[in-house]
Structures are given as C-alpha cells and as structure tokens.
Amino acid sequence: MASRSSKEALLPRSSSIPSYGTTSSSSASVASNTMAKDHSPPSSEGAGAADKKLEERIGTEGLDLPVYDNEIRTEEQTYAFDDSRKIGITGAGFLILNKMIGTGIFSTPSGIFAATGSVGVSLILWLIGGLLTFCGLSVFLEFGLAIPRSGGEKNYLERVYRHPKYLATSVFLSQMVLLGFSSGNSLAFGRYVLFASGHDIADGWQARGIAIACITFAVLLHGLLPKWGIRLFNVLGVFKVFILLFIVCSGFAALAGHRRVPDPHNFDNAFRLEEGDGYGGGGVYAYATALLRIIYSYKGWENANYVLGEVKNPRKTLSLAAPIAVGGTTILYVLANVAYFAAIPKSDLAKSEVIVAGIFFRNVFGDSAGARALPAFVALSNLGNVLAVSFAHARVNQELAKEGLLPYSKFWASNWPVNAPLASLFLHWIVTVIVLVAPPAGPAYNFIVDLYTYPGAWINGFVVAGLIYIQFKKSENWTSPWHTFLPISILYLLANIFLAVVPFIPPTGGSNQDGYPYYVFPIVGVGVLLLGGVYWALWTKVWPKIGGYRIVADRHVLDNGEEVIRYRKVKVGHSE
C-alpha cells in the first residue's frame, strides 16, 4: 500500500459523511465509516482478499475503496432481505399503530388526571400531545425521506452534528441501548393478565415475572421466526384498534347511562382545577410529567423510521402510512379518554394506575366472566406493542453495531442464525429485564414510563434544532421530498425544551412522586446521555491508545440494495 502519515491512515479516502439529503449522490456510496474497540478473534481472510471480493461484487461502479496503512485484517458481513421480508404501506401502518396503541392509552390516563386534577385540562393535554406528535412526525418525515436508512435519529444526528466526530452518535447510542427498553409495556401486560385472572395485584414480582416471559417470547419470535413476528404484530395491530374502538363505543353507552355504577358527573365544571383524593395540586412539575406520559402514549409514530432499510419504497410508504396512523390514533385517544371519564369516578381513576381500562370495563359491564375477559384483550394489545418495540429497537441496535459503535460489534450486528438480528434482540432483552427487576417492589409503571420518555425530549430537541439549522444553512445543500415549515419546528423545539427542563423543578405537592423522589428520572435520564459522552471519549481516545489499533467499519450499499459492512483492524501509533 502507498505510504501515508499515521493520521491519514485512520481516514478512508471516501467521505465519512452520508450523501443523503444533499444535492449530490452516488450509485454506490459509503454511508459512513466509524471506529470502535473490537474483541472478536482474527479472521483467516486477509485484507487484500476481502477488498478483491468486494470489488468483484461491486463491478465497475467506480467506488473508491478505502485504503489504510498498517492494516491487520478485514472481515465482511452482508445484509440482504428479499421482498417477502420487506414492509409495505399496510405493514408500516401497523408497525406504527402497534407501537402507538400499546400500554399508554390503557394505563397512563390515571397518572395524567392525577397530575392535573381537571377533566378538561387532561383532554386538552391529550390534544396537545397529538399536535406535538404531528410536529415531530413532520420533522422525522423530512429527515427520513431524505435519508431512507434504518436507524432513525442516529442518522439525523450524524447528518447535522458532525463535530466532534461521533459524539452525537455516542450520546444517542447510550440513550437507545440503555433506555430503549420494553419494560413498561411488558409490565402492563403482566398487570392486565393478573387483573383478567381475578388478581388485582400491584407491580410486584408476579407481574414482573409475567413481563419477563412476555419480552422473552417477543425476542425469540422475532429472532427465530421473523416472518411470523411481523404477521403476529400485524394481526394484533388490527385487534388493538378494535379494542380501542370498543372502548370508545362503550364510552358513548356510558354517557347515555348504560353502566353499572352511578354517574360520576366528571363533566360537570370540567375545566375546574381540583385537589382530591390522589389527584391535583402538583403544579408545573405535574403538568410536565403528565405531558411526558402523554408523549409516551403517542410514541411509536417514529417506529417506521427505525426500520426504513426493511421498508418497500420508503418514500411512498412512509409519507402515506405515518400520517394516516397518527391521525387515526389521535382521534381514538381523545375519545377513549372521554369514555374513561364517563364511567370512572375521579378518585378511582386517579388510583387505578396501570389498569385504567380494566376498571372501565368493570364499571360498564360489571364483574361477569365476560367482563373479566376484556382486560385479557388489552393484555394482547400490550403484547403487540412489545412485539413492535422490540422489532424496531433491535434494528437500531443492529445499525449501531454495523458501524462498529458497540463493543463486540460484529456479534451484535450478526443476522445469525435465520437472517434476523437475534443478537441485537438479546441486547434489548437484557436491558428490558434489568429495568423490570431493578426497581423495588411496589408501583413502578409510571416511573418506568417517565424514565423511558424523558431522554427522548433531549434527543428530539437536538434533532429538530438540527433540522432548523440545515434548512437555513445554504452550505449544507439540504433537500428532502418533505418540507417542515419553521413554525412547526419551533413549536416542537419549545415543547421538548419544556419537557427537558421542567422535571427538575420541585412539585408543589411534595418531593416524592409515585414513591420515588421527583428528581430521579430526570437525573438518570441526563446521566445516561452524559454517559454517552464518556463512552465517546473512551471509544475514540482511550481504547485505541491502550489497544494500539482501531476498528474501522466501512459501509457500502450496492445497486441491488445489498449492504456490505467491512470491519478493518488498523494499527495506530501511540503518539497520537
């Protein structure tokens, strides 16, 4: 190889910045090049042989292959999915619906009313949540249609925040890997299974044990029978829409007087701010946490962005499926809350915690066996949510591993044994189980929801701020089939700033919320993001000096859609 300086040896000749979202493109481009510590055993294949093989597969596309001095070895992985495995408009819609209509709408209305103490204000917050969701969807559509790759926010942050190199990616990695769990959804599944069986038990070890079984089933299904995993969450997507429609229709019946309890009169002076048994009086902190829980209930609108690499015709599919799914869900959410208020007294609603829908069914249909079966249907809806979340988050974990960002990247990026990301699913399972068993016995659902949602406010804030920047910075040459207007971006940015800052303000009703100090989830959330910065320093500075080499992941997308990742082990000088 040609002799070059040690610093030049660390950089491939091809650009490390994706060409997506700019006015120029290449038929076979290097999407990104990243480096991380590697612990995998040496490969028997030499660097030159791997380069030659890749050159033969690419043909005469004109790709300028990276060249490195002091290269020790090259390993290669290929990712290709046939059309039968790719998701169309219907599948993308159900992928979004399964994430959005999960545990939130059946569980969080209790905490939201308890925080506000007002029926009218609660309903307005649900409408605001829908509006903010559409704002966020517009931002993600602009990025996603310009950068049609799996990974979601990872790609968008990398496109904007390029200096210091890989810092934004490392922060997102920390948030996604450590806090991208399915614990809240799995726990709600366990609670509803117990409620349907006649055991109204709090978030104890029985519910958590069922939750672990739930996430284990989802991971094994997606990892070993991927086609059946997609089929099942499509079926459950239809099913959960039916359940939500059933709640809405039952709510209209309750408004007409068809219920087994007296009229709760919740709509009398609906906008009055009250303090009662378990609700009201929380101040601005309570409103922020209420909005966080509503955002949690709407989460999932970004789900298809995480798996765009497995979507047929991403630009057409995403621009149709996402707005339809979000619009329909917003309408159903508001009507479902009207239904809850029509049948559940305020004090009961505030104390119902996870099983709001279960209390609703009991108040409308009584304690019959049929009424007991209805919460089991909600449990199945929760299972669909766990399937959708684990499917999407595992793909994000795999994308991070593909680019060498994780220790043992080659393992986590693997599609062994059936061309599905079983290893990345296992990583998702590990974090989910840890979060399930770590909190002390007692109410944990709201805390888990807040912990899951809060760091996303920071990430989304940086994403939308980045979009504003590249839209107005002409040198960025930004272009996308979708355009987000500035007022929408500013509204979404301000909302995320509010959600990121206000949880640090002490609540007026006491320092403990749901059994935990009010500051725990924001401090943990920010701490995880800062941990990403620490990881970046270790990964880019410390580990290479200790190990004497870097792992460079070169990513190539061929004309046939096949993606090739080459992991190069490159020596570095200790003088850097």
Side-chain angles (χ1 to χ4, degrees):
M1 293 186 183
S3 175
R4 290 186 288 167
S5 68
S6 60
K7 288 189 177 181
E8 288 177 329
L10 300 178
L11 299 174
R13 287 200 297 258
S14 52
S15 171
S16 63
I17 300 172
S19 62
Y20 298 112
T22 63
T23 55
S24 62
S25 62
S26 171
S27 60
S29 62
V30 178
S32 60
N33 304 284
T34 53
M35 297 170 280
K37 180 85 171 177
D38 179 60
H39 304 272
S40 54
S43 169
S44 60
E45 181 179 40
D51 281 348
K52 184 176 180 181
K53 181 194 294 185
L54 184 58
E55 285 173 335
E56 290 174 353
R57 296 173 67 189
I58 294 174
T60 58
E61 297 296 335
L63 179 64
D64 186 15
L65 291 174
V67 177
Y68 302 90
D69 287 339
N70 302 321
E71 187 168 326
I72 302 172
R73 74 171 191 268
T74 295
E75 298 180 8
E76 183 178 301
Q77 287 188 351
T78 301
Y79 301 85
F81 302 97
D82 57 64
D83 285 342
S84 67
R85 283 277 305 277
K86 290 193 173 182
I87 301 170
I89 294 175
T90 302
F94 282 127
L95 182 64
I96 295 170
L97 283 173
N98 262 310
K99 177 74 183 294
M100 292 185 72
I101 306 176
T103 63
I105 189 58
F106 304 118
S107 303
T108 59
S110 169
I112 292 159
F113 172 71
T116 62
S118 170
V119 173
V121 171
S122 296
L123 293 175
I124 287 177
L125 285 179
W126 280 96
L127 287 171
I128 292 174
L131 175 63
L132 294 178
T133 298
F134 270 106
C135 292
L137 177 63
S138 182
V139 171
F140 274 58
L141 280 174
E142 178 158 350
F143 271 120
L145 299 187
I147 311 174
R149 282 175 44 204
S150 297
E153 298 99 310
K154 169 191 169 294
N155 301 320
Y156 316 150
L157 292 169
E158 286 178 344
R159 175 61 179 83
V160 180
Y161 303 101
R162 300 190 288 269
H163 304 287
K165 203 170 187 180
Y166 311 126
L167 176 59
T169 308
S170 298
V171 172
F172 174 72
L173 176 151
S174 182
Q175 184 256 344
M176 182 56 66
V177 173
L178 298 180
L179 296 180
F181 45 73
S182 296
S183 306
N185 309 318
S186 301
L187 181 59
F189 174 82
R191 287 291 304 274
Y192 270 102
V193 167
L194 290 173
F195 186 82
S197 64
H199 299 86
D200 188 4
I201 303 173
D203 299 339
W205 297 116
Q206 286 179 290
R208 298 185 195 192
I210 297 172
I212 292 173
C214 174
I215 184 61
T216 302
F217 168 77
V219 164
L220 291 177
L221 182 64
H222 282 316
L224 300 177
L225 299 169
K227 290 184 180 180
W228 282 101
I230 294 174
R231 290 168 184 164
L232 181 57
F233 74 59
N234 282 345
V235 170
L236 291 177
V238 176
F239 182 75
K240 64 174 56 182
V241 171
F242 168 77
I243 291 295
L244 200 51
L245 284 171
F246 183 74
I247 289 176
V248 170
C249 294
S250 300
F252 287 130
L255 285 172
H258 298 284
R259 55 184 174 268
R260 299 298 181 92
V261 296
D263 186 353
H265 296 286
N266 287 336
F267 295 103
D268 298 344
N269 297 317
F271 288 92
R272 183 175 58 200
L273 300 177
E274 300 180 64
E275 291 187 36
D277 185 12
Y279 59 89
V284 67
Y285 174 91
Y287 281 85
T289 55
L291 192 55
L292 272 175
R293 291 167 189 174
I294 289 173
I295 296 299
Y296 171 81
S297 299
Y298 278 103
K299 278 189 74 68
W301 52 268
E302 76 280 38
N303 221 28
N305 290 69
Y306 291 149
V307 297
L308 278 181
E310 297 180 43
V311 172
K312 297 176 184 176
N313 193 354
R315 293 182 176 179
K316 177 182 177 182
T317 299
L318 193 61
S319 60
L320 286 175
I324 292 173
V326 171
T329 302
T330 301
I331 295 171
L332 289 175
Y333 275 11
V334 174
L335 293 177
N337 275 273
V338 172
Y340 294 146
F341 286 120
I344 306 176
K346 293 177 181 177
S347 59
D348 291 346
L349 179 62
K351 297 176 182 178
S352 59
E353 297 179 1
V354 181
I355 52 174
V356 177
I359 301 296
F360 170 80
F361 288 136
R362 186 181 65 191
N363 288 2
V364 174
F365 299 103
D367 286 318
S368 64
R372 282 288 181 185
L374 292 173
F377 297 152
V378 177
L380 287 176
S381 173
N382 294 338
L383 174 61
N385 185 273
V386 173
L387 286 167
V389 173
S390 56
F391 179 87
H393 280 249
R395 266 65 182 178
V396 177
N397 290 342
Q398 186 183 45
E399 286 297 309
L400 293 166
K402 279 181 182 181
E403 299 189 3
L405 291 163
L406 296 174
Y408 304 97
S409 285
K410 192 168 181 287
F411 170 75
W412 299 118
S414 170
N415 266 346
W416 181 88
V418 292
N419 200 26
L422 180 61
S424 292
L425 284 160
F426 177 59
L427 178 59
H428 181 74
W429 181 89
I430 292 173
V431 177
T432 296
V433 171
I434 289 174
V435 174
L436 279 171
V437 301
Y445 178 78
N446 285 334
F447 172 74
I448 291 174
V449 166
D450 294 340
L451 183 61
Y452 176 84
T453 312
Y454 175 76
W458 288 89
I459 297 295
N460 290 339
F462 278 106
V463 169
V464 66
L467 179 62
I468 295 172
Y469 171 78
I470 61 176
Q471 281 181 336
F472 288 92
K473 187 74 171 179
K474 292 184 179 180
S475 61
E476 291 287 336
N477 296 320
W478 175 253
T479 181
S480 173
W482 186 280
H483 179 71
T484 301
F485 293 100
L486 183 61
I488 294 175
S489 297
I490 291 177
L491 176 61
Y492 191 57
L493 176 61
L494 292 176
N496 280 290
I497 292 173
F498 173 80
L499 293 174
V501 173
V502 171
F504 286 99
I505 300 174
T508 57
S511 61
N512 284 357
Q513 298 292 311
D514 299 310
Y516 299 88
Y518 75 92
Y519 51 80
V520 170
F521 79 82
I523 287 180
V524 172
V526 171
V528 167
L529 298 178
L530 293 176
L531 187 62
V534 174
Y535 178 76
W536 170 81
L538 292 172
W539 171 56
T540 60
K541 308 295 182 184
V542 178
W543 289 344
K545 289 186 179 294
I546 294 175
Y549 65 87
R550 296 179 187 270
I551 290 297
V552 182
D554 298 323
R555 183 175 188 150
H556 308 278
V557 181
L558 310 186
D559 277 350
N560 62 1
E562 190 173 298
E563 186 177 51
V564 180
I565 310 292
R566 289 183 305 160
Y567 299 93
R568 295 175 177 271
K569 188 173 181 179
V570 181
K571 286 184 178 180
V572 298
H574 289 280
S575 60
E576 290 184 65

